[in-house]
Structures are given as structure tokens and as C-alpha cells.
């Protein structure tokens, strides 16, 4: 009911227009009527994400939380926000395999969009959405978050900038749109992980087979986030939990950032969600369940041995983020839950992350400086890790169990289970002074350049005394994984000798911001090395002992 309708229902207001005190009385009546009507409207609303402007109501809200926006609707939504609000910027950076450009949306409370300036004084949170079409919760939740930030419906710290890739897997989103399946990535739908050329983008951050991954790298290095959120949908046993999470591998992340994420950030995030859940009051809406559980805990039934964390390797989103001193968090929702509950839970997590990022802005920046200094001082680098079974914490698992085998009735239960989330290094390599990559390995060079690795071209043909590896043995997966027959358990021997280098070959000093990345991709024994991802398969022969064509200069 709008203001004009209320005037029609109160004709006495016109009749009493000139009657002084009576007019004041009518105004008081009208004011109460308006407030009462507004109260009814809010009371009847089935979602807390109502918009002040009708033009920015999302498909999710219009469908009462049952449908997700199409790709075109998502981009039009952000275009509208950027035109309406000075705090929102929309731009394109790089291409995708679908032929569409990848979009980047920035919310800056001060309307400053120079990222180099912002990196010095703000905590930057980067949100990646829609890696596959079944994971649309993050897409819808982030639309709500950016609108509410722009419209100041939620309080936002002035020292936090929020950035998002609104839809990463554009090809999968467009396939879903053609099929007219917008029912919120329902659990009955087949996940659509592949992009326009069927690359699984969730495993493409190192090998970068897709244009999407190369554009993601360009965005990541332009933004240089402090915190990275990868919104996903999980697939696991049903439980009371709507939200699951995983992080960058905490021990690999380092003693400063890893300990902060483990001992400070995640506990506060969990407590914040519990407080929001407990404070939620509604006469019409069911109480939400926003208690976090580790992602590995959500994909299996608890056992006496407990749960084991997933080692976030560099080819994953949070593993890649960790290589650049960025704390990565995957937020996954349980697809068996109603879509509306999943989107709302995802929204609450992101809102809490932004709040903590603002409260700890100065501390996070200090920790990043200390972590960078610690990394540069490393002389031995761990390239392989294993779970440390001597250390564990406990997590509360909220599950269901059948009352009896004859019925489908369920009973809720809570169980404290061990959670193994500490890793130990099982293989280390000596950190070299520099690598030399011959120019002929163009695929490798292109990926190093995409990640803004500092490289110098050798100016003339020259002989150098260098170290090199030979490939002694390796194993290969019998079936393709992410489009590759991945090698693993690679063993090498180290040799020294005089090597012929050519003009245009690349000298890459290791002491630079890309240090971790270089060690992960150029050391052949590292699980996500370019060798293991088949970039150097042309050198392999049946007899073995092939010389690895990346040379090493030790201090």
C-alpha cells in the first residue's frame, strides 16, 4: 500500500485541511497509519534482504528465495548499482573462454577506486562467485551484500574495500540460462563444473588452461587482496549444518598469517555467526542455523578417528591465494538445504568477514609485512605436506540420526569430534638464488608473465655453470584429472655443469613477491609443478633420466 492509497482511504484529511488543530490530529493519525502499514509489510516479508529501491530487487527476492539471477541479470544489476551509487565501480578485466569479458565490481566506502592507494590503507576482501553453475548461492548473496553496502542498509567499516568477480564461470552460467534452470542450483541438478570449453575452473589456478584463469590472475594481482572468499556449494551427507568452510593450508600459509587465521579469525567468525543466529527473532520465519563446520567434516559421517582437513594445493582457489600471502576461505553451503537458507547463510558469513576485516585492518597489514619478511628469509622450502596426527582440536558436529529403521523420522544430535588440521612438511628443497627458463617453453613463460613474475631476458648467448635436475622417476594418474594425466611422486637427482643459454632466455631471481609461486611451479617434485601438470612431457623418454630444462643458480 503506497502513500496515495492511504490518502484515498483517509478522505477526512482533505476535508480538514484548513482546520488547524484538527489537521495536526489527522497528521498524527496518518503517521501512525503509515508506520503500522510499514510494520505489517516488514513483518510479512519472508526475507531480511528487502531493498529501499524497487529497481534493485533481485530475482532471488522476487521469487521468495527460490530462484537465482541469470548471468545477464547479474551484470545489469551491477551496471545499475554503479550508475546509481558513487561507491560502486564496475569494470572488465580480461577475457573468458565463453568470449565474454570477466567483470570486476568494487565497493569503496570513500568512492576511491585507485587500487594501489587502497592497498596501503584498506583491508581488501576479494569474493569469487560462480565457479560452476550449481554454486549460485554466492552470486545471489553477493548481489544483496553490494546493494546493501551501497544503500547503507548495513554498517560498513570505512577501512574495508570489498571486491567481487560476480560470475567466474560465465560459460556454465550461460548454459544454465539457456536451459532455463534458475531454481537455485537445486540438489537434484547435475553440477556443471566445466566452463565454455569444459575446463574445471576449480582446479585451473596453476595450469591455467582457460582464459578465465589467466584473467583471474590479472585481477588477483591488480587487487592484491588481504582476504579471499571462494563461494561454493558442497556435496555431502545431510546434517543440521548449512555452512561449511575450508581455508588456505594453515601451516603453509606461515606462522604469522596461518596462526592468525587458525586461532583468531575463524573462531571470531564462528562466534559472530552464532550470535547472529541467537539474536534472530521472527514470528513467521524459522530460526536459522549458521554454525560453521569444517568442509571436510561435511562430506563424511563422523567416525571415532574424527575429521581430517583438506590440504589446499596451489591449483585450488584458496591454495593459490595462499601463495601470495592472502588468507583464503572457501564457504560452501549444503545443497540439501532450501536455497533461500543457503543464500542467507552465505550473506551472513560475508558480512561477518567484512566486519572482522575492518576491526583488524591495522593488525592484518602488520602480519602481512612480517609474513613476507619471514618468507623471504627462508632457505629451505617445504614442497610436500602430510597431516600431523599428533595434533588436533575438536569441532561440534550437529547431525541427524534415525529414530528407528522402520521409519524415516530423524532425531538431531550433537557430537564433539577430533579435527586434524595441522600439517607437517615431508619434503623440502633448497631455495635457489635464481631459475633460468629457456624462452622456447612458451606455455610456461606465458603463465609466469600472467602472474607478474619479475624476469630478465638474457641479452646474449652465454655459457654458465649451473645446477640442473634429472627426472629419475614419476607416477601418472591412469585417468585424466582436470584435463591432464597428472604426474605425482616425482623423484629427481641434482647435477652441476656448464649450460648453454640463449639470448632471450629468462633469468628469474627468487627473492621477489612471487617466491612461493616460483618454488611451487618450477620445482619438479612439488605436487602442482609445471612438470607434474605435463608442461614438459616432450622431454620424457622410456629410458628415464631426462634432463629437466629449467636450470638453477644457487647462492
Amino acid at each position: 500500500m503506497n502513500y496515495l492509497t492511504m490518502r484515498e482511504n483517509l478522505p477526512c484529511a482533505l476535508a480538514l485541511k484548513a482546520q488547524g488543530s484538527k489537521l495536526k490530529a489527522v497528521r498524527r493519525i496518518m503517521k501512525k497509519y503509515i508506520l503500522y502499514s510499514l510494520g505489517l509489510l516488514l513483518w510479512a516479508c519472508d526475507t531480511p534482504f528487502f531493498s529501499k529501491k524497487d529497481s534493485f530487487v533481485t530475482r532471488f527476492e522476487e521469487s521468495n528465495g527460490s530462484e537465482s539471477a541469470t548471468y545477464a541479470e547479474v551484470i545489469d544489476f551491477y551496471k545499475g548499482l554503479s550508475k546509481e551509487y558513487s561507491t560502486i565501480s564496475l569494470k572488465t578485466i580480461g577475457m573468458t573462454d565463453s568470449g565474454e569479458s570477466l567483470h570486476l565490481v568494487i565497493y569503496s566506502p570513500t568512492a576511491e577506486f585507485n587500487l594501489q592507494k587502497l592497498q596501503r590503507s584498506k583491508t581488501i576482501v576479494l569474493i569469487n562467485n560462480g565457479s560452476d553453475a550449481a554454486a549460485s548461492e554466492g552470486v545471489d548473496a553477493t548481489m544483496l551484500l553490494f546493494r546493501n553496502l551501497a544503500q547503507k542498509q548495513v554498517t560498513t567499516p570505512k577501512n574495508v574495500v570489498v571486491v567481487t568477480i560476480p560470475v567466474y564461470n560465465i560459460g556454465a552460467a550461460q548454459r544454465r540460462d539457456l536451459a532455463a534452470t534458475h531454481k537455485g542450483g537445486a540438489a537434484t541438478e547435475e553440477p556443471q563444473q566445466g566452463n565454455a570449453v569444459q575446463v574445471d575452473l576449480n582446479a585451473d589456478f596453476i595450469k591455467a588452461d582457460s582464459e578465465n584463469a589467466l584473467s583471474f590472475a590479472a585481477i588477483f594481482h591488480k587487487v592484491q587482496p588481504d582476504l579471499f572468499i571462494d563461494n561454493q556449494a558442497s556435496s555431502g551427507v545431510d546434517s543440521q549444518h548449512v555452512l561449511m568452510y575450508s581455508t588456505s593450508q594453515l601451516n603453509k600459509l606461515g606462522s604469522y598469517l596461518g596462526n592468525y587465521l587458525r586461532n583468531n579469525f575463524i573462531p571470531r567468525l564462528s562466534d559472530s555467526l552464532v550470535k547472529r543466529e541467537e539474536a534472530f527473532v521472527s514470528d513467521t520465519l524459522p530460526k536459522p542455523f549458521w554454525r560453521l563446520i569444517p568442509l571436510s567434516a561435511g562430506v563424511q559421517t563422523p567416525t571415532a578417528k574424527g575429521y581430517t582437513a583438506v590440504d589446499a594445493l596451489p591449483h585450488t582457489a584458496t591454495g593459490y591465494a595462499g601463495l601470495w600471502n592472502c588468507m583464503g576461505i572457501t564457504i560452501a553451503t549444503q545443497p540439501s538445504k532450501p536455497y533461500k537458507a543457503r543464500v542467507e547463510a552465505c550473506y551472513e558469513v560475508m558480512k561477518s568477514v567484512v566486519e572482522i576485516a575492518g576491526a583488524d585492518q591495522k593488525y592484518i597489514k602488520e602480519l602481512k609485512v612480517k609474513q613476507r619478511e619471514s618468507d623471504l628469509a627462508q632457505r629451505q622450502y617445504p614442497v610436500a605436506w602430510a597431516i600431523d596426527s599428533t595434533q588436533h582440536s575438536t569441532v561440534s558436529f550437529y547431525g541427524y540420526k534415525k529414530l528407528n529403521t522402520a521409519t524415516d523420522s530423524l532425531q538431531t544430535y550433537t557430537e564433539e569430534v577430533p579435527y586434524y588440521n595441522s600439517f607437517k612438511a615431508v619434503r623440502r628443497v633448497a631455495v635457489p638464488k635464481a631459475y633460468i627458463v629457456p624462452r622456447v617453453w612458451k606455455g610456461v613463460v606465458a603463465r609466469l608473465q600472467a602472474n607478474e613474475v619479475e624476469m630478465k631476458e638474457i641479452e646474449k648467448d652465454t655459457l654458465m655453470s649451473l645446477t640442473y635436475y634429472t627426472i629419475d622417476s614419476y607416477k601418472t594418474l591412469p585417468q585424466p584429472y582436470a584435463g591432464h594425466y597428472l604426474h605425482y611422486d616425482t623423484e629427481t637427482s641434482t647435477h652441476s655443469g656448464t649450460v648453454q643459454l640463449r639470448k632471450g632466455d629468462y633469468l628469474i631471481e627468487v627473492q621477489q613477491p612471487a617466491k612461493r609461486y616460483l618454488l611451487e611451479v618450477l620445482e619438479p617434485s612439488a605436487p602442482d609443478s609445471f612438470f607434474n601438470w605435463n608442461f614438459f612431457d616432450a622431454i620424457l623418454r622410456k629410458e628415464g633420466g631426462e634432463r629437466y630444462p629449467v636450470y638453477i643458480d644457487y647462492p
Side-chain angles (χ1 to χ4, degrees):
M1 182 179 292
N2 60 31
Y3 178 70
L4 291 176
T5 305
M6 287 185 278
R7 282 187 61 184
E8 291 171 359
N9 290 334
L10 295 172
C12 61
L14 295 176
L16 298 173
K17 185 175 181 180
Q19 296 185 21
S21 60
K22 292 184 179 180
L23 178 58
K24 292 181 181 179
V26 171
R27 284 175 177 168
R28 287 196 297 269
I29 294 172
M30 291 182 68
K31 183 177 180 180
K32 291 180 180 179
Y33 190 79
I34 292 169
L35 292 174
Y36 174 74
S37 299
L38 181 60
L40 286 177
L41 176 63
L42 300 183
W43 178 80
C45 184
D46 277 339
T47 174
F49 307 117
F50 58 93
S51 174
K52 292 181 180 178
K53 291 182 178 292
D54 291 342
S55 58
F56 295 111
V57 175
T58 66
R59 178 192 280 257
F60 169 79
E61 293 165 302
E62 290 175 341
S63 65
N64 194 25
S66 65
E67 296 185 6
S68 178
T70 67
Y71 172 71
E73 289 169 350
V74 172
I75 301 306
D76 286 345
F77 177 87
Y78 285 111
K79 285 180 179 177
L81 280 184
S82 66
K83 291 178 180 178
E84 181 75 17
Y85 300 102
S86 63
T87 54
I88 301 289
S89 170
L90 173 68
K91 59 182 68 178
T92 59
I93 299 180
M95 292 297 294
T96 66
D97 288 335
S98 67
E100 301 280 351
S101 298
L102 205 58
H103 285 84
L104 186 70
V105 188
I106 304 172
Y107 167 76
S108 173
T110 60
E112 170 63 68
F113 298 105
N114 184 319
L115 288 167
Q116 288 185 330
K117 289 183 179 179
L118 295 173
Q119 288 153 9
R120 292 192 291 268
S121 59
K122 311 291 185 185
T123 305
I124 300 180
V125 180
L126 174 61
I127 303 168
N128 189 41
N129 290 315
S131 293
D132 60 75
S136 56
E137 297 92 331
V139 175
D140 288 313
T142 305
M143 292 169 71
L144 300 170
L145 177 66
F146 270 69
R147 182 199 65 201
N148 292 351
L149 289 172
Q151 294 181 347
K152 302 187 184 305
Q153 296 191 58
V154 295
T155 303
T156 176
K158 294 294 184 182
N159 56 3
V160 177
V161 170
V162 188
V163 184
T164 186
I165 300 172
V167 180
Y168 182 42
N169 192 341
I170 299 172
Q174 290 176 327
R175 287 200 306 271
R176 188 196 68 162
D177 294 346
L178 288 173
T181 55
H182 310 296
K183 302 298 182 182
T188 55
E189 295 178 8
E190 284 294 321
Q192 301 180 48
Q193 288 189 324
N195 76 339
V197 293
Q198 296 305 312
V199 175
D200 180 358
L201 298 183
N202 290 316
D204 198 39
F205 292 93
I206 290 294
K207 60 187 177 64
D209 289 336
S210 65
E211 290 288 337
N212 303 59
L214 294 172
S215 297
F216 178 92
I219 287 173
F220 192 91
H221 293 294
K222 186 177 183 67
V223 174
Q224 295 184 25
D226 302 295
L227 286 156
F228 172 70
I229 299 174
D230 186 36
N231 283 319
Q232 294 281 351
S234 181
S235 58
V237 297
D238 194 15
S239 68
Q240 297 178 58
H241 296 278
V242 181
L243 289 168
M244 292 161 280
Y245 78 96
S246 64
T247 67
S248 304
Q249 206 253 73
L250 298 175
N251 297 86
K252 178 185 285 189
L253 193 57
S255 58
Y256 294 101
L257 293 177
N259 286 339
Y260 168 73
L261 196 57
R262 183 199 305 272
N263 301 323
N264 191 320
F265 193 95
I266 293 298
R268 286 166 62 194
L269 178 62
S270 179
D271 290 345
S272 172
L273 291 167
V274 170
K275 289 177 182 177
R276 291 180 192 276
E277 174 192 318
E278 292 174 345
F280 185 90
V281 177
S282 174
D283 294 330
T284 59
L285 300 176
K287 198 174 188 65
F289 194 90
W290 292 334
R291 293 166 193 257
L292 285 174
I293 193 74
L295 184 57
S296 57
V299 297
Q300 55 182 334
T301 303
T303 66
K305 295 181 179 179
Y307 294 122
T308 299
V310 176
D311 185 1
L313 291 171
H315 70 264
T316 66
T318 56
Y320 175 86
L323 299 181
W324 309 96
N325 282 335
C326 173
M327 294 175 283
I329 306 170
T330 294
I331 300 299
T333 56
Q334 175 58 261
S336 64
K337 303 302 181 184
Y339 186 67
K340 182 171 179 290
R342 285 143 55 192
V343 172
E344 292 176 355
C346 184
Y347 173 91
E348 293 296 334
V349 173
M350 292 190 293
K351 194 165 68 170
S352 292
V353 168
V354 170
E355 290 173 355
I356 299 172
D360 287 5
Q361 184 269 335
K362 185 178 180 180
Y363 187 47
I364 289 172
K365 293 295 186 183
E366 291 174 352
L367 288 176
K368 289 192 69 172
V369 171
K370 291 179 179 179
Q371 190 63 63
R372 188 178 300 111
E373 292 172 348
S374 175
D375 293 345
L376 290 175
Q378 272 186 312
R379 294 294 174 258
Q380 294 284 321
Y381 183 79
V383 294
W385 300 79
I387 282 289
D388 185 349
S389 60
T390 66
Q391 299 187 53
H392 72 271
S393 58
T394 58
V395 295
S396 299
F397 178 78
Y398 293 78
Y400 297 121
K401 59 183 177 182
K402 284 191 175 183
L403 291 175
N404 59 70
T405 56
T407 68
D408 292 330
S409 57
L410 298 174
Q411 183 180 28
T412 61
Y413 74 95
T414 305
E415 182 180 4
E416 298 298 312
V417 296
Y419 178 49
Y420 294 88
N421 193 25
S422 291
F423 289 79
K424 58 184 178 182
V426 294
R427 172 174 286 189
R428 298 175 186 269
V429 297
V431 176
K433 176 183 177 182
Y435 292 105
I436 294 91
V437 177
R439 63 180 181 176
V440 296
W441 298 100
K442 296 180 180 179
V444 170
V445 171
R447 284 152 182 79
L448 296 175
Q449 291 172 334
N451 282 279
E452 298 191 359
V453 172
E454 299 169 8
M455 303 188 290
K456 299 176 183 177
E457 287 192 37
I458 295 175
E459 295 180 352
K460 61 180 181 179
D461 293 356
T462 186
L463 293 172
M464 284 188 68
S465 179
L466 297 170
T467 301
Y468 59 90
Y469 293 119
T470 56
I471 306 299
D472 294 340
S473 65
Y474 58 91
K475 299 174 183 177
T476 304
L477 293 179
Q479 299 294 329
Y481 170 70
H484 289 247
Y485 284 89
L486 184 68
H487 303 315
Y488 64 101
D489 287 351
T490 299
E491 298 292 339
T492 63
S493 296
T494 304
H495 308 268
S496 298
T498 302
V499 177
Q500 175 69 64
L501 301 179
R502 301 295 182 184
K503 178 183 178 180
D505 290 347
Y506 292 93
L507 175 67
I508 307 169
E509 294 185 1
V510 173
Q511 293 296 91
Q512 60 169 294
K515 178 179 179 177
R516 286 187 183 186
Y517 174 80
L518 289 169
L519 289 158
E520 294 284 352
V521 300
L522 295 182
E523 288 293 330
S525 60
D528 271 329
S529 68
F530 286 145
F531 173 81
N532 282 335
W533 280 111
N534 312 121
F535 283 82
F536 296 107
D537 274 8
I539 71 169
L540 298 178
R541 302 289 184 269
K542 288 184 179 180
E543 59 271 18
E546 301 87 349
R547 180 185 289 196
Y548 178 62
V550 174
Y551 305 110
I552 307 164
D553 184 15
Y554 284 112

